Amino acid sequence: MKKSINVIKEFFKNFEVFFKYQLISRLIFTLVMDLFWLLVNFLLKSKGISVISNNDLSRFILSFQGVLFIILVVIVLFLSVIIELFGFINISHQVINNRQESSYLNILKYNTKTFFKNFDIGILILLLYIVVLIPISGIGISVSLFKKFRIPNFIITGIFENKLFTFLYLLLLLAMILISISLFFSFHFVLLNDQKPLQAMKNSIKLVVKNYKKIIIDFIKPIVIINIIIVALIVISIMIVYFIVFTLNINKGSNRIVLMAIYYFKNFMIIFSTLMIFPLEMFVFTKIFYFYTSKTEGFTNVKDKQIFLEAKT
């Protein structure tokens, strides 16, 4: 428990660095996604489609416009990896190793260079890992763009109506969970240890298999603690305000103001947690990565190969 609290303290001690990067990233992604949907709507209209049905979807995907759509999706996914995953791994690396803060541009340059320098068939597997495995299994580090992706409810309902399909689905889900856990540190090995994705996946599996119980516990603890703190702050603030309102008999006008304050505080905490949970997850994963690579046989040279970025001027 003490180790988890220290991890949280270290994160919030460097909160400004993570918050600035997250704020800039969210602004960039807002513009990127607005442009993405603008182009998608243009492609649909150029194909004479207003609302996509199952028949229209297959016709659209197999068309020239469909190819352009797939290219757009790949570009957005690439930006998600470069900006979000690699970005917060990079910042976590700097904080953990007491490096000077690098500029946003320097981080993106390094991330992009590393992505293409280490490109092999394994990167396609890792992209499928982000898009399919993590959202369905609900386990692992994923980009915000695909966190809400889920199997449609009507498909799940159909599966659970058939015992064989249910058994096969649960078996597949278990396999996905095991694979997701095994690939936890693939992106860390690519970025921080300059490895090709296929080699990075092999090393991630090797590292997790040797330490899987401790790794899962070390990841869950700080995330649970910070969520409990956020919920506790919201509950306590509401209780205090209600106590003031009903004990001191505050007039209706003031009552309305207090209730509005509760509403905005609750919304602020939800937005705050949404913005900062992902950076915290990445920081925790990176702490765990460095800790277990230093303690596990065969990974003691990871620190010697870690990256050095140009400091912000």
Side-chain angles (χ1 to χ4, degrees), residues 124-163:
L124 300 178
I125 299 172
L126 287 178
L127 292 180
L128 284 173
Y129 168 60
I130 293 172
V131 177
V132 179
L133 278 181
I134 295 176
I136 292 177
S137 68
I139 293 176
I141 47 176
S142 184
V143 293
S144 57
L145 186 65
F146 294 96
K147 281 198 171 182
K148 293 182 180 179
F149 174 76
R150 292 290 182 271
I151 298 174
N153 289 332
F154 73 90
I155 294 178
I156 294 294
T157 303
I159 289 172
F160 282 108
E161 286 176 353
N162 184 296
K163 289 184 179 179

Coordinates of all heavy atoms in Angstrom, one line a residue, residues 124-163:
L124 N 1.6 -4.0 -36.8 CA 0.2 -4.2 -37.2 C -0.5 -5.0 -36.1 O -1.7 -4.8 -35.8 CB 0.2 -4.9 -38.5 CG 0.8 -4.2 -39.7 CD1 0.8 -5.0 -41.0 CD2 0.1 -2.8 -39.9
I125 N 0.2 -6.0 -35.5 CA -0.4 -6.8 -34.4 C -0.7 -5.9 -33.2 O -1.7 -6.0 -32.6 CB 0.6 -7.9 -34.1 CG1 0.8 -8.9 -35.3 CG2 0.0 -8.7 -32.9 CD1 1.9 -9.9 -35.0
L126 N 0.3 -5.0 -32.9 CA 0.1 -4.1 -31.8 C -1.1 -3.1 -32.0 O -1.8 -2.8 -31.1 CB 1.3 -3.3 -31.5 CG 2.5 -4.1 -30.9 CD1 3.7 -3.2 -30.7 CD2 2.0 -4.7 -29.5
L127 N -1.3 -2.7 -33.3 CA -2.4 -1.8 -33.6 C -3.7 -2.6 -33.4 O -4.7 -2.0 -32.9 CB -2.3 -1.3 -35.0 CG -1.1 -0.3 -35.2 CD1 -1.1 0.2 -36.7 CD2 -1.2 0.9 -34.3
L128 N -3.8 -3.9 -33.9 CA -4.9 -4.7 -33.6 C -5.2 -4.9 -32.1 O -6.3 -4.9 -31.7 CB -4.8 -6.1 -34.3 CG -5.0 -6.1 -35.8 CD1 -4.6 -7.5 -36.4 CD2 -6.4 -5.7 -36.2
Y129 N -4.1 -5.0 -31.4 CA -4.1 -5.1 -29.9 C -4.9 -3.9 -29.3 O -5.7 -4.1 -28.4 CB -2.7 -5.2 -29.4 CG -2.5 -5.1 -27.9 CD1 -3.1 -5.9 -27.0 CD2 -1.7 -4.1 -27.4 CE1 -2.9 -5.8 -25.7 CE2 -1.5 -4.0 -26.1 CZ -2.1 -4.8 -25.2 OH -1.9 -4.7 -23.8
I130 N -4.5 -2.7 -29.8 CA -5.2 -1.5 -29.3 C -6.6 -1.4 -29.8 O -7.5 -1.1 -28.9 CB -4.4 -0.3 -29.9 CG1 -3.0 -0.2 -29.3 CG2 -5.2 1.0 -29.6 CD1 -2.2 0.9 -29.9
V131 N -6.9 -1.7 -31.0 CA -8.2 -1.5 -31.6 C -9.2 -2.6 -31.2 O -10.4 -2.3 -30.9 CB -8.2 -1.4 -33.1 CG1 -9.5 -1.3 -33.7 CG2 -7.3 -0.3 -33.6
V132 N -8.8 -3.8 -31.0 CA -9.7 -5.0 -30.8 C -9.5 -5.6 -29.4 O -10.5 -5.6 -28.6 CB -9.5 -6.1 -31.9 CG1 -10.4 -7.2 -31.6 CG2 -9.7 -5.5 -33.3
L133 N -8.3 -6.1 -29.1 CA -8.1 -6.9 -27.9 C -8.4 -6.1 -26.6 O -9.1 -6.6 -25.8 CB -6.7 -7.4 -27.9 CG -6.4 -8.7 -28.7 CD1 -4.9 -9.1 -28.5 CD2 -7.3 -9.8 -28.2
I134 N -7.8 -4.9 -26.5 CA -8.0 -4.1 -25.3 C -9.4 -3.7 -25.0 O -10.0 -3.9 -24.0 CB -7.0 -2.9 -25.2 CG1 -5.6 -3.4 -25.2 CG2 -7.3 -2.0 -24.0 CD1 -4.5 -2.3 -25.2
P135 N -10.1 -3.1 -26.0 CA -11.5 -2.7 -25.8 C -12.4 -3.8 -25.5 O -13.3 -3.7 -24.6 CB -11.9 -2.0 -27.2 CG -10.6 -1.6 -27.8 CD -9.6 -2.6 -27.4
I136 N -12.2 -5.0 -26.1 CA -13.1 -6.1 -25.9 C -12.8 -6.8 -24.5 O -13.7 -7.1 -23.7 CB -13.0 -7.2 -27.0 CG1 -13.6 -6.6 -28.3 CG2 -13.7 -8.5 -26.6 CD1 -13.5 -7.5 -29.5
S137 N -11.5 -7.0 -24.2 CA -11.1 -7.6 -23.0 C -11.2 -6.7 -21.8 O -11.4 -7.1 -20.6 CB -9.7 -8.2 -23.0 OG -8.7 -7.1 -23.1
G138 N -11.1 -5.4 -22.1 CA -11.2 -4.4 -21.0 C -9.9 -4.3 -20.2 O -9.9 -3.7 -19.1
I139 N -8.8 -4.9 -20.6 CA -7.6 -4.9 -19.9 C -6.4 -4.5 -20.8 O -6.3 -4.9 -21.9 CB -7.3 -6.4 -19.3 CG1 -8.3 -6.7 -18.3 CG2 -5.9 -6.5 -18.8 CD1 -8.2 -8.1 -17.8
G140 N -5.6 -3.6 -20.2 CA -4.4 -3.1 -21.0 C -4.5 -1.6 -21.1 O -5.4 -0.9 -20.7
I141 N -3.4 -1.1 -21.8 CA -3.4 0.3 -22.1 C -3.8 0.6 -23.5 O -3.3 0.1 -24.4 CB -1.9 0.9 -21.8 CG1 -0.9 0.0 -22.5 CG2 -1.6 1.0 -20.3 CD1 0.5 0.5 -22.4
S142 N -4.8 1.5 -23.6 CA -5.4 1.8 -24.9 C -5.5 3.3 -25.1 O -5.4 4.0 -24.1 CB -6.7 1.1 -25.1 OG -7.2 1.4 -26.4
V143 N -5.6 3.7 -26.3 CA -5.8 5.1 -26.6 C -7.3 5.5 -26.4 O -8.2 4.7 -26.5 CB -5.4 5.5 -28.0 CG1 -3.9 5.3 -28.2 CG2 -6.1 4.6 -29.0
S144 N -7.5 6.8 -26.0 CA -8.9 7.2 -25.7 C -9.9 7.0 -26.8 O -11.1 6.8 -26.6 CB -8.8 8.7 -25.2 OG -8.3 9.5 -26.3
L145 N -9.4 7.1 -28.0 CA -10.2 7.0 -29.2 C -11.0 5.7 -29.3 O -12.1 5.6 -29.7 CB -9.4 7.1 -30.5 CG -10.1 7.2 -31.8 CD1 -10.9 8.4 -31.9 CD2 -9.1 7.1 -33.0
F146 N -10.4 4.6 -28.8 CA -11.0 3.3 -28.9 C -11.5 2.7 -27.5 O -11.9 1.5 -27.5 CB -10.0 2.3 -29.5 CG -9.6 2.6 -30.9 CD1 -8.5 3.4 -31.2 CD2 -10.5 2.2 -32.0 CE1 -8.2 3.7 -32.5 CE2 -10.2 2.5 -33.3 CZ -9.0 3.3 -33.6
K147 N -11.4 3.5 -26.5 CA -11.8 3.0 -25.2 C -13.3 2.7 -25.1 O -13.7 1.8 -24.3 CB -11.4 4.0 -24.1 CG -10.0 3.9 -23.7 CD -9.7 4.5 -22.4 CE -8.2 4.2 -21.9 NZ -7.9 4.7 -20.6
K148 N -14.1 3.4 -25.9 CA -15.5 3.2 -25.8 C -16.0 2.1 -26.8 O -17.2 1.8 -26.9 CB -16.3 4.5 -26.1 CG -16.1 5.5 -25.0 CD -16.9 6.8 -25.3 CE -16.7 7.8 -24.2 NZ -17.4 9.1 -24.4
F149 N -15.1 1.5 -27.6 CA -15.5 0.5 -28.5 C -15.9 -0.8 -27.8 O -15.1 -1.3 -26.9 CB -14.3 0.2 -29.5 CG -14.6 -1.0 -30.4 CD1 -15.4 -0.9 -31.5 CD2 -14.0 -2.2 -30.1 CE1 -15.6 -1.9 -32.3 CE2 -14.2 -3.3 -31.0 CZ -15.1 -3.1 -32.1
R150 N -17.0 -1.3 -28.1 CA -17.6 -2.5 -27.5 C -18.3 -3.3 -28.5 O -18.8 -2.8 -29.5 CB -18.5 -2.2 -26.3 CG -17.8 -1.5 -25.1 CD -16.9 -2.5 -24.3 NE -16.3 -1.9 -23.2 CZ -15.2 -1.3 -23.1 NH1 -14.5 -1.1 -24.3 NH2 -14.7 -0.8 -22.0
I151 N -18.4 -4.6 -28.2 CA -19.3 -5.5 -29.1 C -20.7 -5.0 -28.9 O -21.2 -4.9 -27.8 CB -19.2 -7.0 -28.7 CG1 -17.7 -7.4 -28.9 CG2 -20.1 -7.8 -29.6 CD1 -17.5 -8.8 -28.4
P152 N -21.5 -4.8 -30.0 CA -22.9 -4.4 -29.9 C -23.7 -5.3 -29.0 O -23.5 -6.5 -29.0 CB -23.4 -4.4 -31.4 CG -22.1 -4.2 -32.2 CD -21.1 -4.9 -31.4
N153 N -24.7 -4.7 -28.3 CA -25.5 -5.5 -27.3 C -26.3 -6.6 -28.0 O -26.5 -7.7 -27.4 CB -26.5 -4.5 -26.6 CG -25.7 -3.7 -25.6 OD1 -24.7 -4.1 -25.1 ND2 -26.2 -2.5 -25.3
F154 N -26.8 -6.3 -29.2 CA -27.6 -7.4 -29.9 C -26.8 -8.6 -30.2 O -27.3 -9.7 -30.2 CB -28.3 -6.8 -31.1 CG -27.4 -6.5 -32.3 CD1 -27.2 -7.5 -33.3 CD2 -26.7 -5.3 -32.5 CE1 -26.3 -7.3 -34.3 CE2 -25.9 -5.1 -33.6 CZ -25.7 -6.1 -34.5
I155 N -25.5 -8.4 -30.5 CA -24.6 -9.6 -30.7 C -24.3 -10.3 -29.5 O -24.4 -11.6 -29.4 CB -23.2 -9.1 -31.4 CG1 -23.5 -8.5 -32.7 CG2 -22.3 -10.3 -31.5 CD1 -22.2 -8.0 -33.4
I156 N -24.1 -9.6 -28.4 CA -23.8 -10.2 -27.1 C -25.1 -11.0 -26.6 O -25.0 -12.2 -26.1 CB -23.5 -9.2 -26.0 CG1 -22.2 -8.5 -26.3 CG2 -23.5 -9.8 -24.6 CD1 -21.0 -9.4 -26.2
T157 N -26.3 -10.4 -26.8 CA -27.5 -11.1 -26.5 C -27.7 -12.4 -27.3 O -28.0 -13.5 -26.7 CB -28.7 -10.2 -26.8 OG1 -28.6 -9.0 -26.0 CG2 -30.0 -10.9 -26.3
G158 N -27.4 -12.4 -28.6 CA -27.5 -13.5 -29.4 C -26.5 -14.6 -29.0 O -26.8 -15.8 -29.0
I159 N -25.3 -14.2 -28.6 CA -24.3 -15.2 -28.1 C -24.8 -15.9 -26.9 O -24.7 -17.1 -26.8 CB -22.9 -14.5 -27.9 CG1 -22.3 -14.0 -29.2 CG2 -22.0 -15.4 -27.1 CD1 -21.1 -13.2 -29.0
F160 N -25.3 -15.2 -25.9 CA -25.7 -15.8 -24.6 C -27.0 -16.6 -24.7 O -27.3 -17.2 -23.7 CB -25.8 -14.7 -23.5 CG -24.4 -14.3 -23.0 CD1 -23.9 -13.1 -23.3 CD2 -23.7 -15.2 -22.2 CE1 -22.6 -12.7 -22.8 CE2 -22.4 -14.8 -21.7 CZ -21.9 -13.6 -22.1
E161 N -27.7 -16.5 -25.8 CA -28.9 -17.3 -26.0 C -28.5 -18.7 -26.5 O -29.4 -19.6 -26.4 CB -29.8 -16.7 -27.0 CG -30.5 -15.5 -26.5 CD -31.4 -14.8 -27.5 OE1 -31.3 -15.2 -28.7 OE2 -32.1 -13.8 -27.2
N162 N -27.3 -18.9 -26.8 CA -26.8 -20.2 -27.3 C -25.6 -20.7 -26.4 O -24.6 -20.0 -26.2 CB -26.3 -20.1 -28.8 CG -25.9 -21.5 -29.3 OD1 -24.9 -22.1 -28.9 ND2 -26.6 -21.9 -30.4
K163 N -25.8 -21.9 -25.8 CA -24.8 -22.4 -24.8 C -23.4 -22.6 -25.4 O -22.4 -22.3 -24.9 CB -25.3 -23.7 -24.2 CG -26.4 -23.5 -23.2 CD -26.8 -24.9 -22.6 CE -28.0 -24.7 -21.6 NZ -28.4 -25.9 -21.0

